[in-house]
Amino acid sequence: MGKIVIISGPSGAGKTTVCTQLLKYSGVRKSISVTTRPPRHNEKNGVSYHFVSIPEFEEMLRRGELAEHARYCGHYYGTLASTLKESLASDMLLILEIEVQGALQIMEKFPETTSIFLLPPNSDTLGQRLLNRNTNKEQDIELRLETAEKELSYKDRYQYSVVNDDLEITVDTVRKILGLV
Ligand code: ADP
Ligand code: 5GP
């Protein structure tokens, strides 16, 4: 039986960076979500996300193909039910890097899920990291920082909170939580 682990946290907390490090361990894979957000310059369809149109997303929803979904900063995001099913039937550890509304849906459907909330060392760091990442327009960064405030209030719904200050320490902490060797 496979395991599911949710990693949430405000934009810029370092979720993608940490998940990329975790994928180096054997038996770990990451769910590729479906989104209506346009791809960033460094993102490839089918690798970072499955990028779809709004009608395509709505059709997937209607057909019951998504295990959870949410609207975040003006775009839809969702997890393919088929990915979860395949992963649970294997003995893989599947990472869902998803926001809080979707995370709550998964926690309810799959109570065995391990949940981790990644935090920045402080709120200034978030803005700085998003600027450094250089993938979002100023207006989008502002919206993400506003959303971060609301997301932080969901921290206690997660089993673990990890502050991502030093990346190496963070990855090691999460690795230990997940029992990866
Ligand atoms: P998220 O997926 O949570 O939005 P990212 O993984 O894209 O965040 O990280 C946002 C930016 O912060 C990236 O440029 C990344 O390289 C950087 N970053 C991630 N973790 C750290 C860290 N521990 N210290 C400094 N910079 C970091
Ligand atoms: P980004 O646009 O920065 O890639 O992602 C924005 C937010 O959407 C992040 O918090 C990310 O974790 C979340 N997200 C990505 N995929 C999914 C998904 O399939 N479902 C939900 N609910 N959130 C997702």
Side-chain angles (χ1 to χ4, degrees):
M1 175 90 174
K3 278 207 281 188
I4 304 172
V5 52
I6 295 173
I7 302 195
S8 298
S11 190
K15 300 179 296 297
T16 305
T17 309
V18 170
C19 290
T20 303
Q21 296 298 316
L22 295 173
L23 287 174
K24 293 180 182 162
Y25 291 88
S26 81
V28 179
R29 58 180 287 217
K30 190 176 156 186
S31 161
I32 302 172
S33 296
V34 181
T35 186
T36 60
R37 157 169 91 58
R40 296 175 185 149
H41 61 82
N42 57 344
E43 290 179 326
K44 282 206 185 95
N45 192 19
V47 180
S48 314
Y49 281 103
H50 299 290
F51 295 99
V52 298
S53 64
I54 295 175
E56 281 169 334
F57 191 95
E58 286 171 347
E59 183 60 14
M60 294 178 100
L61 252 186
R62 203 184 54 76
R63 290 204 211 116
E65 291 173 8
L66 302 177
E68 62 74 31
H69 76 283
R71 200 176 158 84
Y72 173 93
C73 293
H75 303 290
Y76 287 117
Y77 296 81
T79 302
L80 285 170
S82 57
T83 304
L84 283 188
K85 198 173 160 203
E86 279 161 30
S87 193
L88 285 170
S90 73
D91 59 356
M92 304 288 287
L93 190 151
L94 182 73
I95 304 178
L96 304 186
E97 186 200 317
I98 61 177
E99 55 67 65
V100 294
Q101 304 162 69
L104 295 181
Q105 297 168 41
I106 295 290
M107 287 176 203
E108 199 171 306
K109 279 193 191 167
F110 304 95
E112 307 289 290
T113 303
T114 303
S115 54
I116 302 174
F117 196 91
L118 205 61
L119 292 153
N122 54 61
S123 50
D124 290 347
T125 315
L126 273 188
Q128 202 50 54
R129 284 187 185 166
L130 288 176
L131 282 173
N132 291 347
R133 189 169 72 183
N134 203 21
T135 51
N136 300 75
K137 297 201 180 96
E138 205 177 302
Q139 211 181 354
D140 185 39
I141 291 182
E142 273 170 29
L143 187 56
R144 282 166 181 259
L145 292 176
E146 259 173 54
T147 307
E149 295 292 315
K150 290 179 214 138
E151 291 177 296
L152 287 171
S153 68
Y154 284 86
K155 170 173 78 66
D156 295 340
R157 307 288 286 268
Y158 289 71
Q159 290 165 329
Y160 302 92
S161 295
V162 177
V163 178
N164 177 26
D165 193 351
D166 179 289
L167 182 62
E168 212 174 310
I169 296 175
T170 306
V171 174
D172 204 47
T173 306
V174 176
R175 174 190 74 74
K176 284 183 185 145
I177 292 172
L178 301 178
L180 299 172
V181 283

